Amino acid sequence: MPRVRRVRLSFVPGLDIEFVDRDRAIQQVLEWGERGTRFPVVVFGPEGCGKSAWLRQAAEVLSEGGYEVFYIHPLDRLVHAEVSIPSVKEAFLEFARKALAEDAVGRIAWALFDFVRDLLKVRKARVAIIADDVFQAIGLRYAAAYVKGLLNMIEHPQYSYENIVIIVATSEGLSRAEIGRHRWAWMMPMWNMSREGFEKLYRQIPEPKPSFEEVWRLTGGNPGMLAKLYQARWSMDEAIKNIITSKDLDTFILSLSAEERKWLLEAVENPDTLPAKEKLPLMQKLIELNLIISSITYRDPELWVDQPPPQKDLELGIGKYIAWQTPLHREAVRKALQEVSTA
Ligand SMILES: Nc1ncnc2c1ncn2[C@@H]1O[C@H](COP(=O)(O)OP(=O)(O)OP(=O)(O)O)[C@@H](O)[C@H]1O
Ligand SMILES: [Mg+2]
């Protein structure tokens, strides 16, 4: 793989870490850079698995590869433009500044279409659009329309381009269904980091820290969970309670029937017990709460960003068809179930 500059990312306040591993995911971006993306690539995966980090790295890789890069992450109030036409770049950044000041971040996402057109009007360029979590910013009900707009840029550009790469990430479990029912996107899941990659990240975390084995067992290679644990001074109990509180799992479990609670407990042991017609409403709710990822049936590497998860690893909560986003997500559900049933 050609050498690429690795971006620096904020891991927790006061600790920046260089983007580690994910070599295959970087290679995939390089390949898209050569061929373009025929569809907008929409990436989904466990919360905290590293989608945003990878998109930042992708912007860097494409920019080094001669692409004109528009990068937006509205929820984080981040906007970059590595664009060679100064007037377009300045107009875009100025527009973004105004939209941010007016708390109208969704506007930036929609405005991308105009600025890409303005750029192509001046130069037949290689254009990359990297949009992180735009669907939350524009509203989930517009997600499909937005993706259609992106596809139109690829299929029916007003001014021609030399090549185009569009990558979008979403951390919203529900957006997958909303977008996936159309032909407009190429959806790709991304999983937590591989054991080797995650170990490289772990080594950069200052001591004192638990053994790698223990951290791996708790996080399943999810860097966001690693940050959460670090923040909680490695208290697993605190991290689990934080998940229960954030997602209001107590209320969720109260809303379930006795039978559904039994199914949920079974799913804690083995998520592959979930796919069944009568359990669909429960499954839907678990997807909505960003606790599980469904339909991960195929592990063909071409279908995944970076490396697919193992075929099955029930210790980490990974089934053949369904997986808990991380072991800690599963443990949060287990604890909330216990508490409600003993209350
Ligand atoms: N390959 C990596 N190298 C170094 N740090 C990483 C890597 N991947 C993720 N991180 C760090 O882990 C944390 C979580 O990652 P990130 O925010 O990218 O996850 P995400 O999938 O976008 O989460 P969400 O679904 O909540 O948007 C961040 O602090 C990020 O900088
Ligand atoms: Mg993100």
Side-chain angles (χ1 to χ4, degrees):
M1 190 171 79
R3 273 204 67 76
V4 294
R5 195 183 77 83
R6 301 247 170 184
V7 294
R8 282 197 83 76
L9 303 158
S10 163
F11 188 69
V12 287
L15 178 60
D16 286 358
I17 287 185
E18 198 164 86
F19 184 81
V20 296
D21 191 62
R22 297 289 197 190
D23 290 3
R24 190 175 121 78
I26 293 178
Q27 186 62 43
Q28 283 168 303
V29 174
L30 288 167
E31 280 165 26
W32 290 333
E34 275 165 32
R35 298 185 320 181
T37 52
R38 172 59 184 83
F39 292 90
V41 176
V42 177
V43 178
F44 62 96
E47 49 183 10
C49 75
K51 298 177 291 296
S52 296
W54 170 66
L55 284 191
R56 292 275 306 279
Q57 182 63 46
E60 172 67 27
V61 167
L62 289 164
S63 174
E64 280 178 16
Y67 269 77
E68 311 275 348
V69 181
F70 292 90
Y71 166 97
I72 61 166
H73 187 179
L75 295 187
D76 239 19
R77 307 176 68 82
L78 266 181
V79 175
H80 296 298
E82 293 297 332
V83 173
S84 64
I85 312 286
S87 59
V88 175
K89 177 174 175 167
E90 277 152 31
F92 174 64
L93 292 178
E94 182 53 29
F95 181 94
R97 238 189 318 272
K98 280 214 185 94
L100 286 173
E102 289 166 27
D103 269 330
V105 289
R107 237 186 259 160
I108 307 173
W110 292 108
L112 267 182
F113 298 112
D114 299 329
F115 288 102
V116 169
R117 191 200 51 221
D118 291 350
L119 172 75
L120 289 175
K121 192 173 170 182
V122 185
R123 173 174 304 164
K124 184 176 170 187
R126 311 167 109 202
V127 186
I129 296 170
I130 308 222
D132 199 349
D133 267 336
V134 275
F135 306 134
Q136 270 101 329
I138 60 172
L140 201 52
R141 63 187 184 287
Y142 299 111
Y146 191 75
V147 171
K148 181 72 204 287
L150 292 172
L151 178 63
N152 272 340
M153 262 204 281
I154 297 174
E155 291 186 335
H156 308 290
Q158 204 170 338
Y159 304 97
S160 57
Y161 50 75
E162 192 185 314
N163 222 335
I164 190 161
V165 169
I166 302 181
I167 314 174
V168 183
T170 174
S171 54
E172 182 60 65
L174 286 180
S175 53
R176 178 180 181 190
E178 176 59 22
I179 297 158
R181 61 201 176 88
H182 304 283
R183 69 149 189 120
W184 304 335
W186 185 265
M187 313 254 333
M188 290 181 89
M190 176 170 180
W191 194 247
N192 298 318
M193 297 176 79
S194 70
R195 204 184 147 93
E196 301 70 48
F198 192 63
E199 193 163 2
K200 286 185 199 152
L201 178 59
Y202 166 86
R203 279 198 228 115
Q204 298 195 44
I205 309 293
E207 300 278 2
K209 57 187 172 190
S211 71
F212 175 69
E213 212 39 62
E214 193 177 342
V215 174
W216 173 254
R217 210 171 37 78
L218 292 173
T219 62
N222 183 291
M225 274 299 168
L226 180 66
K228 206 180 241 276
L229 275 173
Y230 177 76
Q231 194 77 5
R233 283 168 257 94
W234 307 111
S235 162
M236 169 178 156
D237 190 54
E238 197 180 320
I240 288 176
K241 285 178 178 160
N242 175 268
I243 299 172
I244 295 178
T245 312
S246 312
K247 296 187 185 288
D248 195 3
L249 294 187
D250 292 339
T251 307
F252 161 58
I253 285 166
L254 278 174
S255 76
L256 301 176
S257 68
E259 191 173 41
E260 284 174 316
R261 284 182 208 175
K262 186 173 86 46
W263 293 338
L264 187 54
L265 191 61
E266 284 163 10
V268 162
E269 299 306 330
N270 179 359
D272 277 344
T273 56
L274 276 172
K277 189 166 187 298
E278 67 278 12
K279 299 181 188 171
L280 279 182
L282 173 64
M283 226 169 98
Q284 202 55 34
K285 198 71 193 152
L286 293 171
I287 293 169
E288 210 173 296
L289 282 166
N290 270 325
L291 289 165
I292 61 167
I293 305 266
S294 60
S295 297
I296 51 161
T297 315
Y298 306 113
R299 302 297 207 274
D300 313 47
E302 314 79 73
L303 298 176
W304 292 78
V305 170
D306 206 52
Q307 298 178 25
Q311 282 294 342
K312 201 170 178 135
D313 186 336
L314 288 182
E315 246 168 83
L316 296 183
I318 300 169
K320 182 170 182 332
Y321 307 102
I322 309 241
W324 290 97
Q325 294 203 354
T326 73
L328 280 174
H329 283 88
R330 175 192 59 192
E331 293 316 311
V333 169
R334 193 199 302 274
K335 186 176 174 69
L337 264 173
Q338 276 164 359
E339 280 168 6
V340 171
S341 65
T342 54

